[in-house]
Amino acid sequence: MTKEISIAYLGPEGTYSDEAARVFAKRLGVDATFVPCPSFNTIFEYVDRGKVTYGVVATENSLEGPVTSTLDNFAFNSDAIILGEHIMNIHHTLLMQPGATVADITTIASHPQGLGQCRRYINEKFPGRDTMTTRSTAESAQLAANNKHIAGIANEYAAQLHGAEVVDREIEDHFGNQTCFALIARPGTKPVFTGQRYKTSLALFLQSDRAGALLMILSEFAYANINLTKIQSRPTKQALGDYMFFVDIEGSVYDPDVQTALSCLRLKLRNVKVLGSYPIEEQDE
């Protein structure tokens, strides 16, 4: 009997996270049940408790940087692992109630990131209009569809779902806006994707804050001839100035060089947490 596959995402239906979840389902080749959640914390909770098969969480945006709630869950609250990633091009659209005009609009609504990423457009097209923050871009599509005085900023998928009209496309201030989404699951879940190149994501915790601590970490990777593709620091939430590091490296945990580097780091650090080892998504569009 085939187990039913469920995927949790940041709801409501029509968000970019919803889109990413459907991309992952297509890549998995499954007919999944999609479970909207009110926060990334809830997604991690559902995955950890086995209430869903997989979760989809945003890890980083090319304009706004790392998604701190996701990083904190990986570091401190959850044992979930990363099985794969998907980098989504983010294109915002302006949505209104069908039949509404620009003159009708008194308020521009969207998620804070949506408003921030379209600030120049809003100031040029709607000078002096109020803005309203929503819990998601999809919620702004719902508001726009039901109120001719509100314009929403969301994706076309949300417009189709909620009956809003797309008035303008690609209104983001900066082209090249991308968000990286991760597919997560409980520890021990079998790999679901294959690829030519792999990356490994780590959370590294220092024994103590001392001079040269970061250099020591970097040196272990340099000695093993391993390329770092990302390094980010986050507070440990234990004391002011006490930090840990998120690191992405090229290679799989099954590569001998990676195993050697991790073994050496485990002798010198308080904790080396492997968040996942998974194929690098090839960008061909």
Side-chain angles (χ1 to χ4, degrees):
M1 184 175 182
T2 303
K3 179 182 177 182
E4 182 179 349
I5 303 298
S6 54
I7 304 177
Y9 68 92
L10 182 65
E13 191 177 10
T15 59
Y16 292 102
S17 294
D18 182 6
E19 271 197 279
R22 293 171 192 277
V23 170
F24 278 120
K26 184 177 181 180
R27 288 175 59 188
L28 289 166
V30 298
D31 185 15
T33 298
F34 298 97
V35 181
C37 295
S39 68
F40 288 131
N41 291 345
T42 305
I43 296 172
F44 277 95
E45 178 189 346
Y46 279 17
V47 169
D48 289 334
R49 293 173 58 189
K51 294 185 67 174
V52 294
T53 317
Y54 305 110
V56 171
V57 293
T59 58
E60 187 172 13
N61 176 264
S62 60
L63 301 181
E64 304 293 331
V67 180
T68 55
S69 61
T70 295
L71 297 185
D72 286 348
N73 272 289
F74 276 130
F76 310 116
N77 304 325
S78 173
D79 292 322
I81 59 170
I82 301 172
L83 297 179
E85 67 176 7
H86 173 63
I87 298 173
M88 177 178 290
N89 295 317
I90 304 298
H91 294 300
H92 294 302
T93 61
L94 184 74
L95 311 178
M96 296 183 191
Q97 186 181 78
T101 67
V102 171
D104 293 323
I105 301 303
T106 60
T107 304
I108 314 299
S110 192
H111 184 273
Q113 285 201 355
L115 293 173
Q117 292 167 11
C118 302
R119 186 173 294 111
R120 185 184 304 125
Y121 175 88
I122 295 170
N123 291 337
E124 290 177 355
K125 300 293 184 178
F126 298 94
R129 314 290 172 91
D130 292 333
T131 58
M132 174 194 302
T133 59
T134 56
R135 290 172 297 178
S136 67
T137 53
E139 183 179 346
S140 77
Q142 290 176 310
L143 292 173
N146 292 292
N147 189 327
K148 73 174 186 177
H149 300 298
I150 296 177
I153 294 174
N155 54 23
E156 292 197 45
Y157 178 47
Q160 295 168 5
L161 284 173
H162 301 295
E165 180 180 359
V166 176
V167 178
D168 206 353
R169 291 176 170 83
E170 297 186 4
I171 64 172
E172 59 271 12
D173 294 340
H174 301 279
F175 290 102
N177 184 7
Q178 295 179 313
T179 296
C180 183
F181 291 91
L183 183 73
I184 62 173
R186 300 179 76 181
T189 302
K190 294 181 179 180
V192 292
F193 302 123
T194 58
Q196 297 296 319
R197 299 185 303 139
Y198 279 73
K199 73 161 61 170
T200 298
S201 296
L202 307 166
L204 306 178
F205 297 82
L206 303 174
Q207 294 282 9
S208 60
D209 184 22
R210 59 181 177 82
L214 178 57
L215 177 60
M216 177 269 295
I217 293 173
L218 299 178
S219 296
E220 292 297 344
F221 293 119
Y223 293 152
N225 197 32
I226 295 171
N227 185 41
L228 271 71
T229 58
K230 181 171 66 177
I231 183 166
Q232 297 168 343
S233 62
R234 284 290 293 157
T236 63
K237 305 183 186 299
Q238 295 181 359
L240 187 65
D242 191 12
Y243 286 83
M244 49 79 61
F245 297 93
F246 289 96
V247 172
D248 282 355
I249 61 174
E250 290 183 353
S252 164
V253 287
Y254 299 107
D255 294 344
D257 288 345
V258 173
Q259 291 181 347
T260 297
L262 295 183
S263 295
C264 292
L265 286 172
R266 288 188 175 103
L267 296 175
K268 299 177 179 180
L269 300 179
R270 176 160 52 90
N271 188 19
V272 175
K273 189 175 183 181
V274 178
L275 305 180
S277 194
Y278 48 95
I280 297 173
E281 184 185 30
E282 301 295 339
Q283 295 293 292
D284 53 12
E285 63 260 19

